Every structure is written in structure tokens, then in C-alpha cells.
Amino acid sequence: MASNKKYWKSVEELKENSSIVDTLRLNEFVEEIPTDEFLGDKKNLEASSTTRRDFLKYVGFTTAAASLAACEGPVIKSIPYVIQPDDIIPGVAEYYATTMADGFDFANILVKVREGRPIKIEPNKEAGGSTNARVQASVLSLYDSHRLKAPKAKNAEISWADADSQIIAKLNEVKEASLPIALLTGTCASPSTKKLVNKLNETYGNVTQVVYDAVSESAALDAFAEMYGVRALPDYNLEKADVIVSIGADFLGDWQGGGFDAGYAKGRVPNQGKMSHHIQIESNMTLSGASADKRVAVKPSEQNLALIKLYQAVVKGIATKEASPLNTAIQNAAAKIKKAGSKAVVLTGIQDKNAQLIALAINKAIQSEVIDVVATKNVRHGNDASVAQLIADMNAGKIGAVIINNSNPVYSLPNSVEFVEGLKKVKLSVAFSMQDNETANAVQYTLATPHYLESWGDALIKKGHYSLIQPTIKPLFNTRQFQDALLAWTGSSTTFYDFLKENWNSNVLEGTSWNQALHDGVYVSEVTDEVSASEVDADKAALELAKIKGSDLELALYTKVGLGDGQMANNPWLQEFPDPITRTSWDNYVTMSKADATTLGVINENVANGALNGSIVELTINGVSETLPVLIQPGQAKGSLGLAFGYGRTQGLKDEMKTGKNAYQFYKNFNNFQAEVTLKVVEGEHEFACVQLHNTLMGRGDIIKETTLETYNDHSLNSRKTWNKAPMVSLDHKEVEASTVDLWEAFDRSVGHHFNLSIDLNACTGCGACVIACHAENNVPVVGKEEIRKSRDMHWLRIDRYYSHEEDFAGDIETKENGTGVLGYKNAMSELEDPSENPSVAFQPVMCQHCNKAPCETVCPVAATSHGRQGQNQIAYNRCVGTRYCANNCPYKVRRFNWFEYPENDQFDYNMNDDLGKMVLNPDVTIRSRGVMEKCSMCIQMTQATILKAKKEGRPVNTNEFETACSNACNTGAMIFGDINHKEDTVTSLVEDKRAYYLLEHIGIKPNVVYHVKVKNIQEA
């Protein structure tokens, strides 16, 4: 029986002739679709009146929906060559060997050039080259639209001829006044440039070169000079080390120029049952601390005490019986060092000459084979005392001219105000700069310099290892090299190229070919020097170091592996690069232990959309105050704080890049440890852009598999049933290994290539070079801080970082298993969410696993994602309609959805939004349109190019010839790519290794990415 009752939804419906009721009756969804938010192109949508009901009506018809959303790919009008250059073959990449030497990063590299455009940086492996995230990203800085485009005098453009005549006239005035000319440069490892500086001195007289490093290693240089008579840095081959003890030295980061990770990783892979033992004593959680077997968290001032105790125990034989965790760790470290003897090494990052002398004395006493004091490194040459004297002399009117190159002291000097005042008192101030930065705006003449990819030059990165710098593109702007200017000012008509070539032929090549050296990028000469160590009073150094007092709260300043010293702050790839430890981008912040945060009332919390917010504090040191956000960091030593350099730039940057606060203002006396810190919480809340909000593994031992070296070497145990258990599933009511059960029919993989990627968790240091390499190779868009906060990052490759709740991950599993019953299990899981005060850390690169039985393929309604014969999971972008079913069905969560049209969109003003920035894009990879899914393709364009190259040359593909962007960029060998149907490829044996396992193997989807169990050497002495 029908009911005559009338139902109503609101009181408004009881009113007669209500306009609201009429509107609702005709249109249930009254608001318009917020198309301006997800389409991005507001200008074309201002007239749109499309409503949600209309949208849902159209969505039922795929073609109409696609038309409505304007999902077709962008049309790019190209202009062909009128006369094609002879040396360019369209579609074929050329590679040039060159060198990056910007004063902070030094690397032998290969540059991939397409149609005259450098688009990618790769390590020059034949020259022993390696790259980090900054080196990989440096190609984007070439296409920075904020670069200086011409010389300027008092902020007005000027011709080079006028600049030369005016500067030469002023230099002559300075010469007649008998005043010194100061050349202030960053670390210059160029022998040809040093020869030019001498020539400038001959022309004008009294020219002094002062070397200034924004992040100083002056104490280490001074200590080495006192002991070995040469102001340089020793090299360390960590592959030779059985025991590594590091006190405050992040040698897997930027310590002493970096580059130690490759040797370190070779010693960390348990070949033949052996691996090095690594002890790290530090304040901040660093990459080195994260990889250590034993990590001890202490305040910065306590690092001094640790080093003194270690010296006394190893060299003097004095072992105190103090009952403290630090003393126990030191005595254990000393026993390990004595046992290893010359196979041990001690490193320290304490920026104090006495501390550096003590470390050298320990290494000398044990006759360490790891340290190389003969073939020294030239990647840092800054002299703090000379810089301080220069500033004093400038302000006293004792300097006639200051010429600055490859340095931004107005930004990075802790006493920047004094330096700027000094600049006003000199007759001539000149800055050579690629950027319109803080220093460029404080001098009389700003001379635009080219990017290193547009330049000639050389570098002596390590004694005996000469590297050439050659241009890979003609200068984009009206720029000139510093060296060419020096030649012009000394009255020479020679170009720097000719000067460089003549110098190499006369003084470097020893009769070998210039062209061959240019092709190789390097020339290595034999180092026959004999170095003898002078006697130094290490006991006195220890007494002096012991006088340094700490305080209740201390600050440790450091560099991030992404932004470094800050000179590439206008690089969006680096700004969006998540810090490997904190997983936060677009910011610097004060790191603090949870214990201190609780005491001070500092909080970090997740808001409604999952993003991370945190408290803001006022930090005061030596009378300098700054407000900064706080990130609570597991592993941060109690009583200590951390703060990264490189942020807070204000000039020569896009507005989006002006992030963070300047930490250099706290860098008093160039000391990375500062005491007498005061902190108070202020009003407000900071919004972080954090890409990983889950901190711990929650006891999931199948994600990161870890064991100890002792267990790994116990051959009496069945390896598959102990530390590398095979996941089991039920079949016919019997427990069987998951790998033996298939839900789908298998593909025939016996014919052709079958690609696999091996990832060794022991070798991965989390450095992130692979992430930037993937960005460059695959045209991954930058989305900005706001989108990162919404979990819309577009990285195809992420490096998950996990902390343990207990002392190690094995303890986490035990805690989980002991949580019996519903309440017990719930409480155990709640506990496991909280990281330990000093947790174990593991890094795990995760990309599309290219499953042979891929769950994404079965749910795509338009067959946009499918499986290739070579094992790659492929996406046809023009078929994808953005249902996102594949992302929902992916257990690894590695698929990315294009919420916006990132190119040609004013809301995303990064490299894809201007003609200059788009020059970096790889023409072999599609620029994805809004509304489609994208993910790792296992660099299918690279594998196909390798196959086609071999076919063209009439040969099979060579052993280990296949590469992906990530495997090519990996310095440590953690990522190995290859064809498992080619039995000689390294990856074939790695897939069958007893440490090999698959991520979420129990699901039965058979990935083509294999991981290797992490082994830790935790045996006590």
C-alpha cells in the first residue's frame, strides 16, 4: 500500500514559493565544478558553467569526458634546421666528458647532449667519477631564468668593453696608491687559473688570493699542514677499512667534500662472510649514523671528550672505567681499533685544529692503510684566518680592490654586515657571478659568468688526477669567464682556451695527446712524492680541546645532501628533493630530540589532510636571534639541536625558492658547534612538506629484512628458514612457499631480454642521487610545497626511511609477536609507532616493481597499463583516463596521478613553465598530460636505445651494457640493472643470491625488482 506521507529534507521545503527549493529541485548539485583548481588554466575556464551533475552525466561516456577535461596531449610547434649542423644527428645523443668544480662539489662527469642541449649528468666511471644529488641537478641550473645575462655596473647593464676599461683604470689607480688587491674566491682547484692569478700579480703587484669556503674545513687543513707540511686534505679509501670510527664526521654526506661512499659500500657488502665494522658518535642523525653498526648520540661538546678518550685508549693505553654509555662505546671502539691495527681508521668532523690533530695522531699511531697522505685532495682550501684578516683590513682602509669569484660571502659569512661595510671602503669591488645574488648586489661591478657546462677549465681534484672542463653548449647569455677577464686585464689577447691548452701541453700532459685527454676528461700522472710526518704534540692538543666547555643546549650546524651550501637554491629539483633522514622538502628547521621537545612543549602533529605541522621557536646564539620551525628527530642527542645551511637566500631566486632561514648567521668563527644556545617557543605553527609520515616498520620484518653478520655466517642454519624466510601461503590446506603458487598464467620469459633490478640494502646509503637522476631522465615534474603537503609528490622513485622502535628491527618483531590477544596486539602496535630515542635506520629505494603478475594490469578498464615481453610494466599515456584503479590496487603505492597540467601553468612556475627551463627536457620521454597516471618505466627508452645501438653495430648487447637512470647514478653499486636471460650480467647472480628477497612476496605478484637482506656487523670487541 502506497504511503501519501510527504517527506522533506529541510525546513526550507515547508515554505511556499521558495527560490532555494526550486533551485534544488532543478539542480541537486548547485555549486559549479572547481575546474579552476584541477585544470589549472583559469583563463580558459572563467566562462565555464559546468556543474557536477553535468560532469557526472558526461563521465558515463569516455570520449565526452575526455573532451570536457581537454586531456589531449600538448601540441608543440617545432621549427626544423635550415642548415643542419654536421656534428648533430637528430635523435642521437652525444656524450662529453667534463668536470664539475663549483667550489663545493667536484666530480668527473659525462654530459648527455641532445640536439645541442645538455639534458643529463652521468658519472664518468672510466675516470673514477661519482655524482651526488647536486651534481645530477646541476644541469637544470644551466637553464635558470634568473641567471645574470650581462655585466652590470651599479645595477645597470654595461658592455664588456666599458667594464674592462673602467676596471683596468681603477686597478691602475690602486696600483699607484700601493694598495693591495684581494682576490676572494671559493676553493679553486684549477692549476691554470692559479697561473693566471700569478700573471695578474705580475701586472698589478701585491695581488693576494684569499680562499673562502662557506662551509669550512680550515681546521682540518691547518692540522694536516702542521703534521705533513702541505695544506691539503688526506684521502680515505674506506674499502680497505675493517673498522671505521667516526666522531662527528658525516663522511657519507659532505664531510671534506664527500665521495667516500663508494669505497665504504664495498666494505659493507658481506662478501665471503666479511664486512667492516662502523661506529658513529654524533649529535645529529646523519647518513653516516644511519648506516652505522653502532651509533652513540652525544652532545657536540661531548664529541670532544669522546675523541680525547679514544686517543688516550688507543695511543696512550689509558682506559678509564667510568660507567657511562659513552665510555663503554669508546673502550669498545678502542679494542676494535687495536685488533684491526692498520685496517682501522678514525675520522672526525669537529672543526677544531686540535681535534683534527688528535685524529691524525691516532691514524699515524696505528699506521692506518686507509688514510692516504700522499695523493691528497684539493676540494677544500678555505682559510678562516685569512678571511677574517681580509675583512679587518677592508674596514681599516688597507685594501684597494676586492675581486670576488665563485663565492657569495654577503649571504654566507656569519659577519656579513662587517664585510658589506668593508666593501664600501675599497676603491674597486667586483663580483664574478652566474647569479644575481646577495654579493652581486653589494659590489660596484657585477660580471656575468657562464655555467660550467658553457666553460673551459681544469681541476686538480686529487694530486696526480688532472681533470678538464669543456663546454657542451654555446653560452646562452652575454657572459664571460673569470679567466678570460683576467687575461684581458693583464693586456693579453689570448683566449683562456688557448692558455689552458698551452699550459696542459707544457706542464701536464708530458707529451701525450691533448685531444685524448679532452676525450677522456682526465689525465692521471704518477705521484712519486714522499711525505714524512712531523712530530706534533697531540697530548697538548688534547689538553687544549678539553678546555672547550659545553652548555645545557648546543647547536650542530650541517649541510643537507640536497641543497648543500646553498649556491643552487634556485634549483627546483633540489628544493623538492626530500631530505633522506627527515623526508622533508622545501625547508630547513631545528631538529630536536623527543625528550627535549616534551620538556619545552614543542609539538609535531598531523592535521586533517595528513600533512605535518610543527611548533615555532626563537633560537638565540651570541646575540643573534631567528624564528625557526622545529622537527622532532629520532636519534637527535638530548641537549643538542641541528640546523642546516643553504636556506634563507633572498636575492636572485624565484619567490617559490625563497625558503627557510639563513643558518650562516649562527656560524660564529666558522665553528659547526655552537654552545650557549637559548630557545623559547613562540606563537604560530609551521607547515612542513613531508613526504613520509610513517616513521617505523611497525614490526613488519618482510619489508626490511635484516640480520647480523654472525647469523649470516652460521652455515649450520638453513638460511631460507632463519634470516631470509620464504613467505608461506595455504594451498590445498597445506603451507607452501608463496613463490610456488600462481594465480595467473605465466609469461614465456625464455626468449629475448628479461630485465631485473637488484637493490642491496647494505650498499644503499640513502644519498638520493638516483632520485634526481630519475627526475632528469624522465621529465618528472616539480609540484611545489603546497602539493607535497597534500601527498601529491610526483617522484617516480622514493627512498623510504624506517626507524626501529626498539634498539633494532629484530626487537620490533619480538615486541609485535609478544603482543598476544586483541588488546595486547593493539598495545604492541601502538608502541611500535613510536621510534626509539636512538633507532636503527634502514633506507629502501622503492619504485614500480614491474610485477610479472601485476595487480594494476587486471583492474585498468581501458588497458592503459600492460605487461611487456621484457618484463617492464608499461603505460600508454594516451589510453589512460585517470580512473586511478591501478594506484588503488598497487600494493607498493608507486603510481603518481597528474592532478594538474604542470607545463605551461603559472601555478607551477618551475622549469617546465618557461622556454629556457624546458630546454632540459628529455625528448625521448613523453611530457604527461593532466589526468593520467605515471610511474617508473624502468627507463624503457634507455633499454631500447641500448638494443638499437647493438643492432646498428651488428652485435649482441654486451655484458652489463643495460642501464637505468637510477642504477647509472648509484655510486655505491646498491642498484644493479640487467638482463637475467643474459647469464653473464651481474644482476643474474644477484637475483639468485642467498640474501635476495622480494618486497611483499607473499602476494604472489612476482616483481622484477629484487632486494638484498641488510646485514649488520654488531659483534662487540
Side-chain angles (χ1 to χ4, degrees):
M1 183 176 175
S3 172
N4 293 322
K5 287 184 179 179
K6 182 178 179 181
Y7 293 90
W8 45 274
K9 296 179 181 178
S10 68
V11 177
E12 189 71 28
E13 291 186 40
L14 300 178
K15 298 180 182 178
E16 294 184 7
N17 303 321
S18 170
S19 60
I20 296 176
V21 173
D22 292 339
T23 302
L24 288 171
R25 188 179 295 116
L26 294 171
N27 190 354
E28 180 181 357
F29 302 103
V30 294
E31 68 271 39
E32 294 180 359
I33 298 177
T35 48
D36 57 331
E37 291 183 17
F38 64 84
L39 293 181
D41 190 354
K42 293 183 177 180
K43 293 181 180 177
N44 294 336
L45 296 167
E46 286 176 350
S48 174
S49 59
T50 306
T51 64
R52 291 191 179 187
R53 172 167 280 187
D54 293 331
F55 180 74
L56 294 172
K57 182 169 63 179
Y58 284 123
V59 164
F61 307 94
T62 303
T63 305
S67 301
L68 174 70
C71 280
E72 71 275 4
V75 176
I76 301 174
K77 296 180 180 179
S78 301
I79 301 173
Y81 289 114
V82 178
I83 301 174
Q84 182 179 319
D86 293 335
D87 58 343
I88 290 179
I89 303 173
V92 177
E94 293 181 305
Y95 289 84
Y96 294 89
T98 189
T99 304
M100 179 178 176
D102 68 357
F104 192 73
D105 289 301
F106 295 80
N108 294 312
I109 58 175
L110 297 177
V111 183
K112 181 180 180 181
V113 178
R114 282 292 303 269
E115 286 76 57
R117 298 177 295 112
I119 63 170
K120 179 120 188 319
I121 303 296
E122 296 179 0
N124 185 352
K125 294 180 180 179
E126 292 185 9
S130 63
T131 60
N132 58 26
R134 293 184 298 273
V135 175
Q136 288 282 341
S138 63
V139 66
L140 184 57
S141 296
L142 169 66
Y143 304 113
D144 182 358
S145 58
H146 278 54
R147 279 180 55 185
L148 276 172
K149 299 175 176 63
K152 297 192 301 182
K154 297 179 181 177
N155 292 321
E157 282 198 13
I158 187 175
S159 70
W160 281 107
D162 288 345
D164 284 344
S165 62
Q166 293 176 26
I167 290 170
I168 289 170
K170 290 195 175 186
L171 286 173
N172 284 320
E173 285 181 26
V174 171
K175 180 181 178 181
E176 290 172 8
S178 298
L179 289 171
I181 297 170
L183 204 59
L184 180 65
T185 71
T187 287
C188 178
S190 166
S192 296
T193 302
K194 288 180 180 177
K195 192 174 179 182
L196 272 177
V197 171
N198 292 335
K199 190 173 181 180
L200 186 73
N201 186 42
E202 291 170 8
T203 305
Y204 296 100
N206 206 5
V207 175
T208 304
Q209 184 175 4
V210 178
V211 182
Y212 163 60
D213 292 328
V215 181
S216 176
E217 291 286 353
S218 189
L221 291 161
D222 292 342
F224 192 83
E226 183 169 331
M227 183 172 282
Y228 293 99
V230 180
R231 201 167 189 277
L233 294 174
D235 198 7
Y236 297 89
N237 185 356
L238 298 180
E239 184 181 358
K240 296 180 179 180
D242 287 345
V243 174
I244 303 166
V245 179
S246 170
I247 301 179
D250 184 16
F251 58 88
L252 295 180
D254 296 325
W255 177 76
Q256 294 194 2
F260 305 109
D261 47 352
Y264 174 80
K266 288 176 183 175
R268 298 293 292 169
V269 176
N271 290 326
Q272 299 177 340
K274 288 185 65 179
M275 63 182 286
S276 63
H277 181 72
H278 173 196
I279 301 169
Q280 186 80 11
I281 300 171
E282 62 183 12
S283 302
N284 300 338
M285 174 66 80
T286 66
L287 290 182
S288 303
S291 294
D293 297 305
K294 175 70 175 178
R295 180 179 182 272
V296 183
V298 297
K299 291 165 62 174
S301 59
E302 292 172 331
Q303 291 183 30
N304 300 335
L305 177 63
L307 186 60
I308 294 167
K309 281 180 173 288
L310 188 65
Y311 167 74
Q312 290 174 336
V314 174
V315 180
K316 310 295 287 185
I318 302 170
T320 58
K321 295 183 179 180
E322 173 190 336
S324 70
L326 176 59
N327 191 63
T328 302
I330 291 297
Q331 300 311 317
N332 175 56
K336 286 276 190 182
I337 290 171
K338 288 177 180 178
K339 184 177 179 180
S342 63
K343 296 289 185 181
V345 68
V346 175
L347 315 172
T348 184
I350 302 170
Q351 287 308 308
D352 183 285
K353 181 181 175 182
N354 293 310
Q356 297 293 331
L357 279 172
I358 292 169
L360 290 173
I362 297 172
N363 289 323
K364 180 188 170 189
I366 63 176
Q367 298 180 324
S368 175
E369 298 174 20
V370 181
I371 183 172
D372 185 349
V373 298
V374 178
T376 52
K377 295 174 67 179
N378 297 309
V379 295
R380 297 288 184 271
H381 269 305
N383 190 318
D384 296 347
S386 297
V387 173
Q389 188 61 52
L390 172 63
I391 295 172
D393 289 346
M394 287 165 61
N395 280 284
K398 296 178 181 179
I399 303 293
V402 175
I403 301 170
I404 304 166
N405 180 55
N406 195 27
S407 186
N408 186 8
V410 174
Y411 159 68
S412 58
L413 273 171
N415 54 340
S416 172
V417 174
E418 293 177 36
F419 181 78
V420 173
E421 287 301 313
L423 283 177
K424 297 173 183 177
K425 296 176 182 178
V426 299
K427 294 181 180 293
L428 173 66
S429 58
V430 180
F432 289 87
S433 179
M434 194 180 77
Q435 305 171 343
D436 194 19
N437 58 27
E438 292 78 4
T439 301
N441 285 283
V443 295
Q444 298 165 1
Y445 294 90
T446 304
L447 305 183
T449 57
H451 189 270
Y452 78 92
L453 293 175
E454 304 168 308
S455 306
W456 285 102
D458 60 357
L460 185 60
I461 298 175
K462 184 178 178 180
K463 186 184 287 187
H465 291 246
Y466 293 86
S467 304
L468 275 170
I469 303 169
Q470 65 170 317
T472 57
I473 187 174
K474 287 187 176 181
L476 298 172
F477 306 114
N478 182 21
T479 58
R480 188 173 66 176
Q481 287 187 233
F482 168 67
Q483 294 88 348
D484 279 314
L486 293 189
L487 283 165
W489 297 349
T490 56
S492 174
S493 59
T494 305
T495 64
F496 181 55
Y497 166 75
D498 292 329
F499 184 91
L500 176 71
K501 184 177 180 180
E502 191 278 327
N503 185 46
W504 269 57
N505 283 326
S506 302
N507 303 312
V508 177
L509 292 174
E510 300 170 331
T512 56
S513 166
W514 160 262
N515 287 338
Q516 186 63 46
L518 194 59
H519 170 271
D520 297 342
V522 296
Y523 174 78
V524 180
S525 64
E526 187 179 354
V527 178
T528 57
D529 299 355
E530 290 186 6
V531 176
S532 59
S534 303
E535 289 297 326
V536 297
D537 193 344
D539 292 338
K540 181 182 177 183
L543 289 172
E544 290 297 317
L545 189 63
K547 293 178 182 178
I548 298 174
K549 302 299 180 185
S551 59
D552 292 339
L553 204 55
E554 300 169 15
L555 176 69
L557 296 158
Y558 67 99
T559 58
K560 288 189 182 183
V561 293
L563 219 52
D565 64 349
Q567 60 180 292
M568 282 198 277
N570 208 36
N571 191 310
W573 289 351
L574 294 176
Q575 287 280 7
E576 191 147 296
F577 171 69
D579 179 72
I581 298 294
T582 66
R583 308 293 289 130
T584 302
S585 60
W586 293 101
D587 253 325
N588 68 338
Y589 31 76
V590 172
T591 56
M592 181 185 294
S593 70
K594 185 176 181 180
D596 288 336
T598 301
T599 302
L600 294 166
V602 168
I603 59 169
N604 283 173
E605 61 183 359
N606 297 113
V607 293
N609 66 354
L612 181 68
N613 287 8
S615 299
I616 299 174
V617 296
E618 184 179 69
L619 179 69
T620 304
I621 307 171
N622 301 313
V624 179
S625 297
E626 185 65 87
T627 57
L628 290 146
V630 175
L631 193 74
I632 298 172
Q633 174 62 55
Q636 184 77 35
K638 292 180 184 178
S640 74
L641 307 170
L643 181 61
F645 292 122
Y647 291 82
R649 291 269 309 277
T650 58
Q651 296 181 28
L653 281 72
K654 290 184 177 181
D655 289 341
E656 293 85 354
M657 311 296 170
K658 296 175 182 176
T659 61
K661 299 294 177 67
N662 187 354
Y664 285 109
Q665 59 189 315
F666 300 120
Y667 196 31
K668 184 180 180 182
N669 297 327
F670 303 101
N671 193 334
N672 55 337
F673 297 156
Q674 297 287 331
E676 302 300 333
V677 176
T678 59
L679 201 69
K680 70 174 182 179
V681 180
V682 297
E683 289 187 7
E685 197 173 46
H686 182 78
E687 297 181 344
F688 292 104
C690 190
V691 298
Q692 182 182 344
L693 299 174
H694 59 286
N695 286 324
T696 69
L697 270 177
M698 299 288 289
R700 294 175 296 176
D702 58 339
I703 303 295
I704 297 282
K705 291 192 176 184
E706 185 180 82
T707 189
T708 65
L709 184 63
E710 186 178 13
T711 303
Y712 176 78
N713 287 333
D714 189 347
H715 300 296
S716 65
L717 298 172
N718 186 328
S719 61
R720 290 293 294 179
K721 292 182 179 179
T722 53
W723 51 267
N724 193 8
K725 293 180 182 179
M728 309 297 283
V729 295
S730 179
L731 179 67
D732 295 332
H733 306 289
K734 296 179 182 178
E735 289 290 304
V736 298
E737 292 190 8
S739 60
T740 63
V741 180
D742 278 342
L743 295 179
W744 297 274
E745 291 183 11
F747 292 97
D748 179 11
R749 296 297 183 199
S750 61
V751 179
H753 306 288
H754 185 187
F755 297 122
N756 268 214
L757 176 65
S758 168
I759 301 176
D760 194 329
L761 300 182
N762 259 56
C764 179
T765 62
C767 72
C770 54
V771 175
I772 302 297
C774 178
H775 256 286
E777 176 66 31
N778 295 297
N779 301 331
V780 177
V782 174
V783 300
K785 183 175 182 177
E786 184 179 344
E787 293 302 300
I788 292 284
R789 277 181 58 78
K790 296 175 183 176
S791 300
R792 293 177 180 174
D793 63 289
M794 296 299 294
H795 298 101
W796 283 14
L797 162 61
R798 71 174 191 263
I799 302 179
D800 287 339
R801 177 267 302 124
Y802 294 107
Y803 299 127
S804 64
H805 165 71
E806 301 289 346
E807 187 175 330
D808 53 30
F809 293 111
D812 287 9
I813 296 171
E814 188 177 340
T815 299
K816 179 182 176 182
E817 291 175 347
N818 288 339
T820 56
V822 176
L823 286 177
Y825 181 78
K826 181 180 178 182
N827 291 336
M829 295 305 289
S830 179
E831 286 179 22
L832 288 171
E833 289 183 0
D834 189 19
S836 167
E837 285 187 358
N838 187 21
S840 284
V841 185
F843 297 108
Q844 184 174 55
V846 181
M847 66 294 289
C848 173
Q849 303 291 288
H850 296 273
C851 313
N852 287 306
K853 310 293 176 62
C856 55
E857 295 167 15
T858 59
V859 296
C860 182
V862 292
T865 182
S866 60
H867 214 73
R869 285 194 64 102
Q870 296 170 346
Q872 291 148 315
N873 177 261
Q874 303 167 347
I875 296 180
Y877 295 126
N878 60 337
R879 290 187 64 88
C880 179
V881 295
T883 62
R884 289 174 281 168
Y885 296 160
C886 59
N888 193 46
N889 217 37
C890 174
Y892 307 105
K893 300 307 170 192
V894 288
R895 288 174 170 254
R896 302 289 179 257
F897 180 67
N898 278 282
W899 291 90
F900 298 91
E901 193 82 53
Y902 298 108
E904 301 294 347
N905 188 338
D906 290 342
Q907 293 186 26
F908 299 93
D909 188 16
Y910 306 111
N911 63 294
M912 289 187 177
N913 201 43
D914 60 74
D915 291 338
L916 189 63
K918 283 187 284 190
M919 288 177 70
V920 82
L921 298 177
N922 184 357
D924 291 333
V925 180
T926 304
I927 305 297
R928 281 73 65 185
S929 300
R930 176 198 51 78
V932 305
M933 298 299 304
E934 61 179 80
K935 56 135 194 109
C936 163
S937 67
M938 210 174 262
C939 289
I940 192 169
Q941 72 282 0
M942 293 179 69
T943 56
Q944 291 305 110
T946 302
I947 293 168
L948 291 172
K949 180 184 178 184
K951 184 178 180 181
K952 181 181 177 183
E953 295 174 1
R955 59 171 176 83
V957 177
N958 294 328
T959 300
N960 293 328
E961 188 175 358
F962 286 113
E963 286 275 22
T964 57
C966 56
S967 67
N968 188 35
C970 184
N971 303 326
T972 63
M975 291 182 172
I976 302 292
F977 180 77
D979 176 10
I980 59 171
N981 283 347
H982 190 278
K983 298 306 178 185
E984 286 73 30
D985 269 15
T986 304
V987 74
T988 306
S989 60
L990 290 173
V991 168
E992 297 168 356
D993 189 270
K994 67 178 182 178
R995 288 199 294 131
Y997 75 97
Y998 293 95
L999 201 56
L1000 302 181
E1001 188 175 1
H1002 56 274
I1003 299 175
I1005 54 182
K1006 300 187 182 301
N1008 281 317
V1009 178
V1010 61
Y1011 293 86
H1012 284 72
V1013 174
K1014 186 176 178 69
V1015 180
K1016 296 193 79 171
N1017 185 0
I1018 60 172
Q1019 273 188 303
E1020 299 295 329

